[in-house]
C-alpha cells in the first residue's frame, strides 16, 4: 500500500482527540498533538505521528501520567528546578520554556532544570518558542541508551539531543536541533517502518559490527556523530540534563519506545534575553548581516543553494501546509488501531497512488478503557 496524505488540521484534530480519549486534559492533548504535527510539517516524521502510539501505550501502562503535575521544587529567581512527576514531557517542557522566558526578561538570564520528565519530541519546538519572544535558548535533554561509550560495545549512552535557537531577521528564527548520534534514533525507526535500509555509518549490530538493517541497529547500537566527539558530547549533556537536575541518567533512563517503566528523563534549559545583552535594533541589524553574508555565498557544485539553520524546516512547513502530510502505511495502520480502540474517526486521507479520498471510521469518540 502507498503512503496516504492528510490535511494538517485534520491530522491535528485526530491526534488531539485520541490523546484526550486516554484521559489527557484538552489543553495538554492539543499541545502534544501540535508537537507531533509540527515535526511532520518540518519534514521530520521520526518525531511525528509515529510516536503517538508509543506515548499512549505508556499512559495505558501507568509509566506516564495522563494528567501532568509540574511542581516547583527550588526557586532562586533566575534558577528554577521543576519536577514533572512522570507526566507528558511536552507539557513539562512547555511549562519550563514559558518560565524560562519569563525569568530571563526579569533577570536577563535564567536556568530551568527539569527532573522526572519524559520524551518531549523535538527540542527545537521549545527553543523556537523562546526565540520568537526575543530570547536565545539552549535546551539539552538526556535519553535512553542508544550508543556505546567510545571504545566500548555496551549500550549505555543516550542520543541526548540539544537545540539552540535565536531570533533571526524579519521575524525568522535561527535554530539547530541535533542528536549526538550520526542520526536521530527515530529516523532508524522510520526506516524500519518503511522497510528501507539505513545508510552505512548510522548503526551497528549488538556486537559492534556495522549494519544497514534498521532492526539490527535498533536492537544494537546507534553510531555517535563524529566518532569520539559525539560520545563525549552525549556524556556531558547527561551530566547537565541528568546528573545535575536530579534525574535518571545513563542506563537508568527509559525511552518512549518501551511501554513500561518511568522515563526519569531530565532537561536543562538556559534562556538569555537579547535585550539584556545588546540593543535589540543593533542585534537585528547584525544578525541580518550575518544571514545575508551566508546566503549570498557561492554554492558548492553539489548544492542548489546555501541555507541557514532552520530554513529547511521552514520551507518544508510551507510545502506541507499546502500539499498535506504523507503518512506511511505502517504508521497509518497504527493510527487505525488507535481509532478502533477509542472510537475517534480517522482523518480523511487519500492514497497517494490513487488520489481518492477515503475515511475509515464513522464511530463516535469514547473514553479509552
Amino acid at each position: 500500500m502507498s503512503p496516504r496524505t492528510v490535511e494538517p488540521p485534520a491530522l491535528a484534530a485526530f491526534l488531539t482527540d485520541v490523546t484526550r480519549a486516554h484521559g489527557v486534559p484538552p489543553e495538554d492533548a492539543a499541545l502534544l498533538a501540535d508537537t507531533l504535527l509540527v515535526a511532520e510539517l518540518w519534514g521530520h516524521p521520526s518525531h511525528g505521528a509515529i510516536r503517538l502510539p508509543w506515548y499512549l501505550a505508556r499512559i495505558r501502562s501507568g509509566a506516564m501520567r495522563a494528567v501532568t503535575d509540574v511542581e516547583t521544587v527550588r526557586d532562586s529567581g533566575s534558577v528554577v528546578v521543576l519536577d514533572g512527576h512522570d507526566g507528558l514531557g511536552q507539557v513539562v517542557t512547555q511549562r519550563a520554556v514559558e518560565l524560562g522566558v519569563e525569568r530571563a526578561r526579569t533577570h536577563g538570564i535564567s536556568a530551568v532544570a527539569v527532573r522526572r520528565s519524559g520524551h518531549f519530541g523535538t527540542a527545537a519546538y521549545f527553543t523556537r518558542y523562546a526565540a520568537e519572544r526575543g530570547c536565545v535558548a539552549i535546551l539539552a535533554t538526556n535519553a535512553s541508551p542508544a550508543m556505546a561509550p567510545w571504545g566500548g560495545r555496551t549500550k549505555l549512552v543516550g542520543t541526548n539531543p540539544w537545540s539552540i535557537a535565536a531570533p533571526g531577521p524579519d521575524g525568522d528564527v535561527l535554530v539547530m536541533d541535533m542528536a549526538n548520534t550520526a542520526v536521530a534514533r527515530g529516523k532508524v525507526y522510520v526506516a524500519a517502518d518503511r522497510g528501507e535500509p539505513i545508510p552505512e555509518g548510522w548503526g551497528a549490530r549488538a556486537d559492534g559490527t556495522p549494519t544497514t538493517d534498521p532492526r539490527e541497529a535498533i536492537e544494537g547500537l546507534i553510531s555517535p556523530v563524529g566518532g569520539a566527539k559525539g560520545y563525549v558530547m552525549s556524556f556531558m549533556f547527561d551530566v547537565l540534563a541528568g546528573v545535575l537536575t536530579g534525574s535518571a541518567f545513563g542506563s537508568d533512563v527509559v525511552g518512549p519506545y518501551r511501554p513500561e517503566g518511568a522515563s526519569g528523563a531530565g532537561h536543562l534549559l538556559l534562556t538569555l534575553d537579547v535585550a539584556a545583552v545588546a540593543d535589540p535594533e543593533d542585534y537585528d541589524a547584525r544578525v541580518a548581516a550575518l544571514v545575508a553574508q551566508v546566503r549570498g555565498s557561492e554554492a558548492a557544485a553539489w548544492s542548489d543553494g546555501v541555507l541557514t539553520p532552520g530554513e529547511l524546516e521552514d520551507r518544508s512547513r510551507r510545502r506541507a501546509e499546502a500539499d498535506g502530510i504523507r503518512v506511511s502505511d505502517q504508521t497509518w495502520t497504527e493510527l487505525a488501531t488507535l481509532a478502533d480502540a477509542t472510537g475517534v474517526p480517522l482523518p480523511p486521507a487519500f492514497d497517494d497512488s490513487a488520489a481518492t479520498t477515503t475515511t475509515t471510521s464513522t464511530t463516535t469518540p469514547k473514553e479509552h478503557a
Side-chain angles (χ1 to χ4, degrees):
M1 297 176 66
S2 301
R4 292 168 173 82
T5 297
V6 183
E7 293 296 324
L11 181 59
F14 173 78
L15 299 175
T16 300
D17 291 344
V18 168
T19 303
R20 289 183 62 182
H22 283 71
V24 177
E27 186 175 351
D28 293 352
L31 172 64
L32 174 59
D34 191 56
T35 63
L36 301 176
L37 180 75
V38 168
E40 295 279 2
L41 293 172
W42 284 344
H44 300 306
S46 59
H47 288 68
I50 190 176
R51 290 183 178 258
L52 184 64
W54 304 342
Y55 293 142
L56 299 184
R58 291 179 56 75
I59 290 177
R60 291 194 299 270
S61 74
M64 186 165 66
R65 295 186 180 184
V67 179
T68 303
D69 176 27
V70 183
E71 178 189 6
T72 300
V73 294
R74 288 175 180 264
D75 189 343
S76 62
S78 62
V79 179
V80 181
V81 180
L82 302 178
D83 190 325
H85 292 289
D86 302 318
L88 276 69
Q90 287 86 346
V91 177
V92 178
T93 310
Q94 182 64 25
R95 170 59 180 148
V97 73
E98 290 171 357
L99 186 61
V101 170
E102 173 191 316
R103 296 301 175 88
R105 286 175 173 167
T106 300
H107 302 283
I109 190 170
S110 67
V112 180
V114 178
R115 63 180 60 158
R116 286 206 293 175
S117 183
H119 189 274
F120 57 42
T122 55
Y125 184 92
F126 304 101
T127 56
R128 275 182 179 260
Y129 176 94
E132 288 166 354
R133 287 155 181 79
C135 295
V136 174
I138 304 174
L139 174 61
T141 184
N142 62 3
S144 58
M147 72 171 90
W150 190 250
R153 55 179 289 179
T154 303
K155 185 165 23 179
L156 293 174
V157 183
T159 60
N160 300 350
W162 55 299
S163 175
I164 303 174
D170 302 321
D172 289 339
V173 169
L174 302 172
V175 58
M176 58 141 281
D177 183 348
M178 61 174 284
N180 296 304
T181 40
V183 64
R185 180 164 37 188
K187 293 186 184 297
V188 181
Y189 275 91
V190 169
D193 182 47
R194 295 174 176 174
E196 300 172 351
I198 57 175
E200 293 183 4
W202 277 21
R205 301 180 183 88
D207 63 3
T209 58
T211 183
T212 59
D213 184 327
R215 293 294 177 187
E216 290 182 342
I218 289 169
E219 294 300 321
L221 302 167
I222 309 299
S223 302
V225 64
K229 294 179 181 179
Y231 155 62
V232 297
M233 285 194 296
S234 263
F235 183 95
M236 293 308 297
F237 280 126
D238 205 2
V239 172
L240 296 179
V243 176
L244 178 63
T245 65
S247 304
F249 54 85
S251 60
D252 292 332
V253 183
V254 175
Y257 321 99
R258 284 175 49 185
E260 297 178 343
S263 168
H267 324 309
L268 182 65
L269 172 72
L270 305 178
T271 310
L272 176 67
D273 185 4
V274 169
V277 178
D279 177 87
E281 291 186 1
D282 183 53
Y283 171 85
D284 290 345
R286 289 167 60 82
V287 77
L290 173 61
V291 168
Q293 185 180 88
V294 170
R295 287 181 179 164
S297 61
E298 186 176 356
W302 53 265
S303 169
D304 59 2
V306 177
L307 302 178
T308 52
E311 191 173 358
L312 187 65
E313 286 77 9
D314 290 337
R315 289 184 177 183
S316 176
R317 179 166 190 159
R318 289 191 293 269
R319 184 168 55 251
E321 286 175 339
D323 299 339
I325 294 171
R326 300 181 76 221
V327 180
S328 74
D329 182 58
Q330 180 60 35
T331 298
W332 185 262
T333 298
E334 292 176 0
L335 296 182
T337 299
L338 289 175
D340 290 341
T342 60
V344 176
L346 277 166
F350 63 86
D351 187 305
D352 285 1
S353 61
T356 56
T357 301
T358 61
T359 55
T360 309
S361 175
T362 56
T363 54
T364 55
K366 62 183 178 183
E367 290 300 311
H368 190 277

